[in-house]
Amino acid sequence: MKASRIVAAGAAAGITVLALSAPAFAHVTVQPEGTAAKGGYAVIDFKVPNERDDASTTKLEVNFPTDHPLASVMPEPMPGWKIEVTKSKLDKPLEMHGEKITEAVTKVTWTADGKGIEPGYFEKFPLSVGQLPEDTDQLAFKALQTYSNKEVVRWIEVPQKGKEEPDNPAPVLELAAASEDGHHGAAADEDSGSAPAEKTSADTTAADSSADTDTTARVLGIVGIVVGAAGVAYGVLAGRRRSDA
């Protein structure tokens, strides 16, 4: 009886550590390259993992928020993908650089003209966007991911603060505050023609920190396996000794 309890405890320890160190369920996400500051411009990447073992991702549709329309949206050319930008009339025109904007991008669609994103891979879909709104802290983009077997996964549930993450969360872009000198993230970099050294250093530090976190998670995962295996082995050995006695 004592041996069986030891086995169960060892296995539970290993499973617990693995659960804590395992990566979150993969889904379509959006992150800025550098900083996405309110009132400025930014380059943002939609990261799309292929979650199927028997199908490739062949289309990505990203819908833009209509409550905070963006007047400027420019995709980067991507080999193997056809890109379509859809614009719609605005109910209320925007003021941008002294000009009235009567329409804005409401959707960008990437369609594979090759193999798409095959099983076991992911791809980033970059966009240059602006001007970012100043009256909100985040932008939610509802996305549809289509597979070669015609399956469509709808990443359209907007996460709510204080509640559990939904099963199919929409990509959410967090906006940073504009700097005190009036610069707005990527917009300032575009005007100067190059990124300042401080920004490059910050990006490098953030990347190193992310890599350290990933390494720590993997180490914890390995430790969990070792702990669980050791517990099982000890329990079996203890049981055999008890039987022999």
Side-chain angles (χ1 to χ4, degrees):
M1 186 72 176
K2 183 178 181 181
S4 63
R5 289 180 180 176
I6 294 175
V7 171
I15 293 171
T16 300
V17 176
L18 282 175
L20 291 174
S21 61
F25 182 73
H27 51 266
V28 176
T29 57
V30 61
Q31 291 292 334
E33 294 183 8
T35 302
K38 297 178 181 180
Y41 290 79
V43 175
I44 60 176
D45 295 325
F46 288 90
K47 182 180 178 182
V48 182
N50 187 62
E51 300 179 315
R52 301 294 179 264
D53 296 328
D54 55 354
S56 297
T57 295
T58 56
K59 180 187 287 188
L60 173 68
E61 300 170 73
V62 174
N63 294 281
F64 284 69
T66 56
D67 55 342
H68 293 97
L70 300 177
S72 176
V73 177
M74 293 186 293
E76 180 178 323
M78 293 180 61
W81 295 88
K82 176 185 176 184
I83 307 174
E84 181 182 357
V85 178
T86 303
K87 293 184 178 183
S88 300
K89 290 286 185 179
L90 295 175
D91 294 334
K92 183 179 180 181
L94 296 175
E95 191 79 22
M96 186 174 177
H97 302 305
E99 297 183 6
K100 282 190 176 182
I101 307 298
T102 59
E103 62 179 14
V105 172
T106 52
K107 183 168 71 171
V108 177
T109 304
W110 291 266
T111 305
D113 55 15
K115 295 181 179 180
I117 309 174
E118 298 183 84
Y121 291 88
F122 77 91
E123 195 155 351
K124 291 182 179 180
F125 297 79
L127 292 172
S128 174
V129 299
Q131 284 180 270
L132 296 172
E134 299 182 16
D135 58 349
T136 184
D137 294 326
Q138 62 182 26
L139 292 176
F141 301 85
K142 297 183 179 182
L144 303 182
Q145 181 179 9
T146 302
Y147 286 91
S148 55
N149 60 3
K150 306 305 180 183
E151 177 189 5
V152 178
V153 181
R154 301 170 61 85
W155 305 103
I156 61 173
E157 300 176 67
V158 180
Q160 302 295 325
K161 289 184 179 180
K163 297 184 179 180
E164 293 185 1
E165 184 177 72
D167 293 334
N168 295 88
V172 175
L173 177 67
E174 299 292 340
L175 302 181
S179 61
E180 294 182 0
D181 59 4
H183 290 164
H184 301 282
D189 299 338
E190 289 177 0
D191 293 341
S192 63
S194 61
E198 293 82 1
K199 180 177 180 296
T200 302
S201 175
D203 291 345
T204 302
T205 301
D208 291 342
S209 175
S210 178
D212 291 342
T213 301
D214 185 57
T215 299
T216 301
R218 293 181 182 178
V219 171
L220 287 174
I222 295 174
V223 170
I225 295 174
V226 173
V227 171
V232 174
Y234 181 80
V236 173
L237 181 60
R240 287 182 178 177
R241 287 179 177 176
R242 187 177 181 86
S243 299
D244 292 340

